[in-house]
Amino acid sequence: MSDCRPEELLAATLADQIPDVRHIAVGAASPIPAAAALLKQARARDRVHVTILHSRRYNSFTDGGRELFDAAAQGRIDVFFLGGVQIDGEANINLVGLGDYPNLTQRFPGCFGAPYMAFVVPNVILFREEHSTRTLVKKVDFVSAPGWSPEGVWRRGGPKALVTGLAVMPFDASRRRFRLASVHPGHTAEDVREATGFDFDMPASVPTTPVPDLSTLGLLRGPIADKLREFYPDFADRVFPVPA
Amino acid sequence: MSDCRPEELLAATLADQIPDVRHIAVGAASPIPAAAALLKQARARDRVHVTILHSRRYNSFTDGGRELFDAAAQGRIDVFFLGGVQIDGEANINLVGLGDYPNLTQRFPGCFGAPYMAFVVPNVILFREEHSTRTLVKKVDFVSAPGWSPEGVWRRGGPKALVTGLAVMPFDASRRRFRLASVHPGHTAEDVREATGFDFDMPASVPTTPVPDLSTLGLLRGPIADKLREFYPDFADRVFPVPA
Amino acid sequence: MSSTFSPIPLDDLVAQVRDGMLLAVPADYSGAPMAATRALIRRGAKNLRLVTVPQSTLQADILIGAGCVSEIETAAVTLGEFGTAPCFTRAVLAKKIKVVDATCPAIHAGFQASEKDVPFLPLRGILGSDLLKHRSDWKTVDNPMASGNDPLLLIPAIRPDVALFHAPMADREGNIWIGRRRELATIAHASKTTLVTVERLYDGSFFDDEKMAAGALPAFYVNAVAVAERGAAPVGLFGEYEADIDHLRAYAKEARTEAGFAAYLAREIGAAKAAA
Amino acid sequence: MSSTFSPIPLDDLVAQVRDGMLLAVPADYSGAPMAATRALIRRGAKNLRLVTVPQSTLQADILIGAGCVSEIETAAVTLGEFGTAPCFTRAVLAKKIKVVDATCPAIHAGFQASEKDVPFLPLRGILGSDLLKHRSDWKTVDNPMASGNDPLLLIPAIRPDVALFHAPMADREGNIWIGRRRELATIAHASKTTLVTVERLYDGSFFDDEKMAAGALPAFYVNAVAVAERGAAPVGLFGEYEADIDHLRAYAKEARTEAGFAAYLAREIGAAKAAA
């Protein structure tokens, strides 16, 4: 681990959550998911299309702002990443604010496309670096996008897993519950329990999240860092500094 | 009249039916309405936009085939021309076929956009050169677009007048009835009555449709003929032959 | 799409249009896939259900004449200034095909509904047209957003099995240049599979130049591309070539009889008329 | 549009945005009209109801900070990588503006409904989001095209009084080049009045070249055009220039306090903050 930066571990771990698919899309301001999508693409046997909204090179939409959502509705986007100021134990996410809406004590930007993408994209991966009882709560103050839907409500997809700075937690929508699948190196399952505001399934033995191997690190630090430099120059320079 | 071709009379007469508007659109295969629209544009004091679907120069749509209909829905198209294999006394038009649909004895191309344009365009002008009991019937075999709608049905526009090779007949949707307004030179009101399969209002005295004045003929034969040559070369060559 | 894109032979492309499929084709002003249509006829396609966006000319007429079509949803089939479509007219009157009569904006709305994966789109107008008597799939409801009586038509989504059209260019990534014929994008978005023939390949990526990008359909909507030079002829292709007027005028005359159409089929397409 | 087109001065253009109007503006990736926004602030616009398509960054924040906005419908207001939008956040928490929270596809659908002049568009998803608790104008119905229980959300049409955006070029006929930023076409189609600022005039007609035509918004949707060089700065403009990162970073810091924002307003815009 000494040789692996946290962002590299997270990108590789996110990439491991991505099934074999045709099209991975990454929303705004998401450098680590972008790195994960490009890593998945680089390691895939078949052709994988990656859309990174922040990029010019990785964004071939030509039908206006609605095209991301229409393409997702058509089933053409297999994987999307969502964050949350708060995420709760039923995989509901809050992007709006803290307090009793509309009487908020803190205001965040807003829902963006989350209430829609969480329904139409088969594999939604939740990603939030900060793993604390402040971010992972029993019940979100505002449900921007629900983690599950009652029977009879049309829903193609939804959250499949949550990746944080501490752990990997798959989500079972039928049981409305997360499970601790692995803990990142340097932390324990007990650390995760203490830092999590909701209940989740904890197996008797929890493995350590594998660190990226040399070949993965080579991809991240080489071709993927070069690609990220186009649209996330600050991130790329910080995480993948060009050797002097 | 000796000096005025029938097509010129019809184009000028159609142009006279067009109120002062911002945007006149002309559908496919309509050279005389196209000439009328360009004539109205040439004589208008204010800027008039003319869209001629058949043309490249007079067609600035860039949003695909739906844009004509969407623009009309937005109220951006003030005048449109419709024809009909049959037209009846309530201004219903038939573009589909003769007989008891679907057991037709004759089949025509189909409705195109008529069932929609007849509702959303404020001023629809019906145009059919052949004025006979075959084309102007008591009741159309198939209502492609109704001439009027019952109360409670959203409708911005509809047929305002019918122009044929014989006459000009304004339509009163509230009374569901045509009125004979003028008869083209060389014909009588009685000719019109005999050639029309439906009842209509006939004033005691019916004026003759005015023939285009020299300035109008100059416009038609000069700049408008030149414009038509781009997209209706056969028509332009036939009606406005270039002097040898 | 990565650099692994490469076009396939025309016959392999049309092999993906299987008998019985719902096939979407554009109007003659937006890339009629005539070369592909001739290949379809040569391979003896059967029972195609055609949906024209929103109308068709020569393409629908020869597909129908050759016996490839069992059903057609359309706003109109005509040869335009050259008169009615002879094979279409004959087949309808003889009840050899089923016509599902529509109107242009309803077809566009059905494709847009599919593009958004919603069950329907509402549309104004049309109420009172006899079209509604024969479209049990169209539904008139009381506008659920209004308080009073406000009848409103709902048009169900149209989701073709395959879309087939011709365009000027594909680039090296498989993106298609459609210019301002944006109904081609909607057709591709709405369809399960999209097959495209192009005049030529463009050496580079449309996305390297924002001016070209503005007219591009992204490769991830496109399942296969074949190069077919003058692939829309004798129909015209936007920005490329005009229709072959003499051909169309002669067709309108020749196809007026069954025998004349059979001769056209043999001579121009190299196909015998399929058994009725 | 005929040759009578000519651009007007920027101040005359923004004079057409009257107090209390529903004003549509694009996201920062599709032509934020920053020069026009500064002119609006200088003229002391009041009680604007803003709708962002679908989100906004600096533009909404300074309009709100300057006291021009009473209400905003938006999917998000943020400075992106530079953090939350300080004036927006402050105004919301102090209840100085009303926020109508939305989500991107619902805003797009509302504009598309208006584009087709239908009362609503249906949309999948979103059900179960707390957004619905606060959107009495959104309606959940049982899908009228299905036989069973199939709840479906209806999004009402959004019809702005005026749309305002910045684009690279207007041609000599008043057509606007929007490239592949096609939401600008939808915004114009849906709005009663469309006002555009452009970097420069293009000598000719986009329609003389199909490659340019593919990215054109026809003049008949556009009510007025003003030339404003670098009219999107410090936000970027597609295909033209990048965002001024230093400016945005400094703004994010300075506007954290009321006093800091007032200093920014005076220095960068030449406007005093309007009375609250």
Side-chain angles (χ1 to χ4, degrees), chain A residues 71-106:
Chain A
Q74 293 152 29
R76 296 186 200 272
I77 293 178
D78 305 297
V79 176
F80 196 70
F81 300 89
L82 289 175
V85 173
Q86 294 178 315
I87 299 171
D88 72 20
E90 297 194 337
N92 300 307
I93 64 174
N94 174 8
L95 297 159
V96 164
L98 302 186
D100 182 20
Y101 186 96
N103 304 308
L104 298 174
T105 56
Q106 274 196 61

Side-chain angles (χ1 to χ4, degrees), chain D residues 43-160:
Chain D
R43 89 146 177 75
K46 277 287 187 193
N47 294 318
L48 295 177
R49 290 170 300 131
L50 212 57
V51 53
T52 66
V53 190
Q55 68 246 17
S56 185
T57 58
L58 184 69
Q59 186 191 10
D61 204 57
I62 64 174
L63 275 172
I64 291 168
C68 303
V69 176
S70 62
E71 187 175 319
I72 181 170
E73 175 167 2
T74 188
V77 182
T78 166
L79 297 183
E81 53 196 301
F82 308 111
T84 54
C87 295
F88 165 76
T89 307
R90 213 158 35 229
V92 177
L93 294 180
K95 300 203 171 175
K96 285 192 175 162
I97 60 167
K98 181 182 172 192
V99 184
V100 181
D101 269 290
T103 175
C104 310
I107 290 181
H108 292 304
F111 277 80
Q112 285 187 277
S114 199
E115 181 176 62
K116 297 197 104 61
D117 196 28
V118 290
F120 63 85
L121 239 58
L123 208 55
R124 287 297 188 187
I126 307 175
L127 300 175
S129 165
D130 282 346
L131 284 175
L132 273 78
K133 293 185 186 170
H134 306 277
R135 293 298 306 246
S136 58
D137 57 331
W138 292 1
K139 190 158 179 174
T140 306
V141 299
D142 213 27
N143 173 8
M145 297 298 248
S147 48
N149 169 45
D150 181 19
L152 187 65
L153 186 60
L154 308 184
I155 304 291
I158 300 172
R159 187 141 172 77

Side-chain angles (χ1 to χ4, degrees), chain B residues 28-29 54 56 59-66 69-70 96 101-117 119-120 139-146 148-149 151-155 231-232 234, chain C residues 29 54-55 74-78 80-85 88-89 92-93 95 99-105 108 112 115 123-131 134 149-151 179-183 186 239 242 245 249:
Chain B
H54 223 86
R56 248 179 52 113
N59 181 341
S60 59
F61 289 137
T62 57
D63 206 27
R66 67 172 177 255
F69 305 101
D70 286 353
V96 164
Y101 187 96
N103 305 309
L104 299 174
T105 57
Q106 275 195 62
R107 169 77 206 196
F108 303 112
C111 292
F112 288 101
Y116 191 74
M117 298 301 269
F119 281 74
V120 298
K139 180 81 183 81
V140 293
D141 289 3
F142 185 98
V143 177
S144 288
W148 58 278
S149 295
E151 225 189 328
V153 172
W154 183 97
R155 187 159 188 165
F231 41 94
Y232 289 121
D234 289 0
Chain C
Y29 50 71
Q55 69 248 18
T74 188
V77 181
T78 167
E81 54 196 301
F82 308 110
T84 53
F88 166 76
T89 307
V92 177
L93 294 179
K95 300 203 173 175
V99 184
V100 181
D101 270 290
T103 175
C104 309
H108 292 305
Q112 285 188 277
E115 181 176 62
L123 206 56
R124 287 297 189 188
I126 307 174
L127 300 175
S129 165
D130 281 347
L131 284 177
H134 306 276
N149 168 45
D150 181 19
R180 53 171 163 147
R181 296 300 358 160
R182 297 204 58 79
E183 58 277 337
T186 310
E242 298 296 319
I245 296 298
R249 191 184 283 121

Side-chain angles (χ1 to χ4, degrees), chain A residues 221-238:
Chain A
R221 292 169 186 179
I224 291 170
D226 288 347
K227 290 169 179 174
L228 289 172
R229 228 171 288 279
E230 179 228 324
F231 41 94
Y232 289 121
D234 288 2
F235 175 83
D237 288 349
R238 182 167 57 78

Side-chain angles (χ1 to χ4, degrees), chain A residues 19-21 24 38-48 219:
Chain A
D20 291 330
V21 294
I24 306 164
L38 293 171
L39 177 59
K40 176 73 187 181
Q41 182 185 52
R43 295 195 298 195
R45 185 183 309 225
D46 295 320
R47 193 173 59 195
V48 176
L219 286 169

Side-chain angles (χ1 to χ4, degrees), chain D residues 65 87 90-91 94 96 254-265 273:
Chain D
C87 295
R90 213 158 35 229
K96 285 192 175 162
E254 186 172 20
R256 255 182 238 157
T257 65
E258 291 261 13
F261 179 75
Y264 176 90
L265 207 56
K273 187 175 181 326

Side-chain angles (χ1 to χ4, degrees), chain D:
Chain D
M1 203 176 254
S2 71
S3 52
T4 57
F5 163 75
S6 54
I8 62 174
L10 179 60
D11 284 339
D12 293 357
L13 182 118
V14 302
Q16 299 188 38
V17 183
R18 290 193 295 278
D19 291 355
M21 276 187 164
L22 181 63
L23 171 66
V25 295
D28 61 346
Y29 50 71
S30 61
M34 294 309 299
T37 296
R38 290 186 288 268
L40 262 181
I41 291 174
R42 278 193 297 269
R43 89 146 177 75
K46 277 287 187 193
N47 294 318
L48 295 177
R49 290 170 300 131
L50 212 57
V51 53
T52 66
V53 190
Q55 68 246 17
S56 185
T57 58
L58 184 69
Q59 186 191 10
D61 204 57
I62 64 174
L63 275 172
I64 291 168
C68 303
V69 176
S70 62
E71 187 175 319
I72 181 170
E73 175 167 2
T74 188
V77 182
T78 166
L79 297 183
E81 53 196 301
F82 308 111
T84 54
C87 295
F88 165 76
T89 307
R90 213 158 35 229
V92 177
L93 294 180
K95 300 203 171 175
K96 285 192 175 162
I97 60 167
K98 181 182 172 192
V99 184
V100 181
D101 269 290
T103 175
C104 310
I107 290 181
H108 292 304
F111 277 80
Q112 285 187 277
S114 199
E115 181 176 62
K116 297 197 104 61
D117 196 28
V118 290
F120 63 85
L121 239 58
L123 208 55
R124 287 297 188 187
I126 307 175
L127 300 175
S129 165
D130 282 346
L131 284 175
L132 273 78
K133 293 185 186 170
H134 306 277
R135 293 298 306 246
S136 58
D137 57 331
W138 292 1
K139 190 158 179 174
T140 306
V141 299
D142 213 27
N143 173 8
M145 297 298 248
S147 48
N149 169 45
D150 181 19
L152 187 65
L153 186 60
L154 308 184
I155 304 291
I158 300 172
R159 187 141 172 77
D161 295 306
V162 57
L164 176 62
F165 59 82
H166 185 69
M169 298 178 267
D171 71 9
R172 292 295 177 183
E173 297 170 347
N175 305 299
I176 309 294
W177 195 79
I178 59 171
R180 54 171 163 148
R181 296 301 357 163
R182 296 204 58 80
E183 58 276 337
L184 297 178
T186 310
I187 293 171
H189 298 169
S191 299
K192 293 178 202 162
T193 295
T194 293
L195 309 175
V196 182
T197 58
V198 294
E199 287 293 308
R200 60 184 173 278
L201 299 178
Y202 175 87
D203 199 11
S205 165
F206 299 136
F207 290 96
D208 288 342
D209 174 355
E210 280 296 314
K211 289 182 186 59
M212 293 305 291
L217 171 70
F220 69 84
Y221 294 104
V222 180
N223 297 79
V225 177
V227 176
E229 245 181 275
R230 290 192 62 81
V235 175
L237 181 63
F238 52 90
E240 297 280 330
Y241 44 83
E242 298 296 318
D244 180 344
I245 297 296
D246 293 335
H247 184 121
L248 296 175
R249 191 183 282 120
Y251 173 84
K253 199 172 161 190
E254 186 172 20
R256 255 182 238 157
T257 65
E258 291 261 13
F261 179 75
Y264 176 90
L265 207 56
R267 188 183 68 243
E268 300 290 337
I269 303 182
K273 187 175 181 326

Side-chain angles (χ1 to χ4, degrees), chain C residues 34-46:
Chain C
M34 295 309 299
T37 296
R38 290 186 287 268
L40 261 181
I41 291 174
R42 278 192 297 269
R43 90 146 177 76
K46 278 285 186 196

